[in-house]
Amino acid sequence: MSIARRSSATAWLAILTIWLCVPSSWAEVRSIDGSGNNLEHRDWGAAGTPFGRLARAHYSDGASVPVEDGRPNPREVSNAVCGQEVSVANPYCLSDFVWQWGQFIDHDIALAETSRDPEEAFFIEVPEGDPLAPSLPMMRTLFDPATGGSSENPRQQVNHVTAYIDASMVYGSDAERAAALRSFQGGRLKVGADGLMPVNGAGLPNANATGLPEGDLFLGGDIRANEQLGLLCLHTLFVREHNWHAARIAAEHPAWDDEEIYQRARKWVAAEVQAITYNEFLPSLLGPHAPDLSRFAYDAGRDPSVGNEFASGIYRFGHSLVSGQLLLAGE
């Protein structure tokens, strides 16, 4: 089966599951901030809660000071593991879309924002002769202010988006951003006259690696939407996908109001993102080690919070997938 046909089939299967398992009450839609997803542990996976940990926190003072002595230089490790003189072809013939989808999903499940406090600066020394010498500037990650005071309560970093694959990068993880993205007409998301995403006229937080004027940046569900053009294209695609579903649903249910249409279209989009991730992205990435969905069922006792090790270490492997050039296949 082709990828396109497989994607369509799995998306329909996900939607059918939603329709069969979720009561029709509009009060039972996903919250924007991820709270209440687990009725027994309502804060699990919600935006603004700490990342999980697989291993215990390890600070030099046991509470908050980074460990530096006795460890290899991070830049030397990076150069030794990832350095290459020429581009290496992907042995599975995967396109650059594999890392682009990986970034899109990363922005759905994890955001560790950095501090602006000068005291939180943590520069990484770079060996002499390295083009980035003498150091790499870095700021430490924002943390839960209720932590970090002792070794019994060490510093814990905060995830500022929902931990669920719920298309939060399209819709936002807080009520203010979610409202700013909506037209409140026919269940649609805002788009400009050119069919592109709205600009950030509301002055909401936006990462700005481009240095453009803040008013020229697009507003997406995630603050990193403008990070690079490929990512912005995916954001635009899924805003349009939402509006396509909204128009279809409005035509099928003319008595439904804006909220009903919006929430149903949002369910469709989230299900499509889940289907692509679990049925195409993860098998392409992990092969036989990808999750076997037939072996899993809902477990209210499993904390869905994204692991600190995953968000800040393991999933950074995607940076090594990025090509030096992006090839234009056609106009």
Side-chain angles (χ1 to χ4, degrees):
M1 182 181 290
S2 71
I3 288 179
R5 289 178 59 200
R6 182 154 55 103
S7 176
S8 177
T10 53
W12 275 101
L13 178 60
I15 293 300
L16 179 60
T17 301
I18 286 176
W19 244 305
L20 291 175
C21 297
V22 176
S24 59
S25 169
W26 292 109
E28 298 196 14
V29 298
R30 281 183 181 269
S31 65
I32 283 292
D33 67 359
S35 62
N37 195 307
N38 185 320
L39 297 181
E40 296 180 21
H41 306 279
R42 301 188 67 84
D43 290 337
W44 279 7
T49 57
F51 286 99
R53 285 188 183 274
L54 297 176
R56 65 181 180 84
H58 189 191
Y59 298 103
S60 63
D61 65 346
S64 64
V65 178
V67 176
E68 298 184 69
D69 296 337
R71 295 193 173 189
N73 181 279
R75 176 66 173 173
E76 290 181 333
V77 172
S78 176
N79 287 340
V81 174
C82 300
Q84 61 186 59
E85 298 297 326
V86 296
S87 295
V88 178
N90 185 298
Y92 303 104
C93 298
L94 300 176
S95 73
D96 284 304
F97 199 74
V98 68
W99 63 258
Q100 185 55 87
W101 187 262
Q103 183 187 36
F104 194 52
I105 290 300
D106 173 50
H107 294 184
D108 190 13
I109 62 176
L111 171 59
E113 295 198 64
T114 53
S115 173
R116 296 185 179 182
D117 182 350
E119 294 186 3
E120 291 290 287
F122 185 62
F123 284 28
I124 298 173
E125 293 183 4
V126 173
E128 290 186 14
D130 191 295
L132 298 180
S135 63
L136 292 170
M138 191 180 80
M139 299 297 292
R140 297 186 68 188
T141 303
L142 292 176
F143 63 97
D144 181 349
T147 67
S150 69
S151 57
E152 287 74 31
N153 184 27
R155 179 183 290 206
Q156 303 290 355
Q157 290 71 36
V158 174
N159 188 359
H160 292 272
V161 298
T162 74
Y164 300 100
I165 298 179
D166 56 1
S168 65
M169 68 294 208
V170 178
Y171 301 102
S173 291
D174 63 85
E176 182 181 14
R177 197 173 197 90
L181 293 167
R182 294 178 61 175
S183 71
F184 292 100
Q185 294 182 343
R188 298 187 301 274
L189 296 174
K190 287 180 182 175
V191 292
D194 52 8
L196 301 178
M197 295 159 62
V199 294
N200 187 22
L204 293 176
N206 246 5
N208 189 1
T210 64
L212 291 171
E214 290 291 330
D216 290 347
L217 297 176
F218 292 103
L219 184 66
D222 183 78
I223 65 171
R224 297 159 287 186
N226 297 270
E227 194 168 274
Q228 51 94 5
L229 188 58
L231 178 64
L232 192 58
C233 287
L234 267 181
H235 275 275
T236 305
L237 177 68
F238 275 88
V239 167
R240 293 176 177 178
E241 178 73 355
H242 173 96
N243 286 348
W244 182 87
H245 280 300
R248 174 185 60 78
I249 294 165
E252 293 174 357
H253 303 277
W256 284 13
D257 62 20
D258 170 76
E259 184 70 14
E260 291 173 313
I261 297 169
Y262 167 80
Q263 295 295 356
R264 179 55 62 88
R266 181 173 163 236
K267 281 186 178 183
W268 273 90
V269 170
E272 289 171 350
V273 170
Q274 291 166 356
I276 293 169
T277 300
Y278 279 96
N279 293 292
E280 297 178 39
F281 172 68
L282 290 176
S284 296
L285 189 68
L286 301 174
H289 302 291
D292 180 356
L293 302 185
S294 67
R295 298 177 53 221
F296 291 89
Y298 179 71
D299 180 358
R302 184 177 294 275
D303 188 345
S305 301
V306 174
N308 207 320
E309 296 90 343
F310 178 85
S312 56
I314 296 170
Y315 205 47
R316 300 304 102 198
F317 89 94
H319 295 174
S320 67
L321 298 181
V322 179
S323 303
Q325 273 187 321
L326 292 180
L327 303 180
L328 182 66
E331 294 299 327

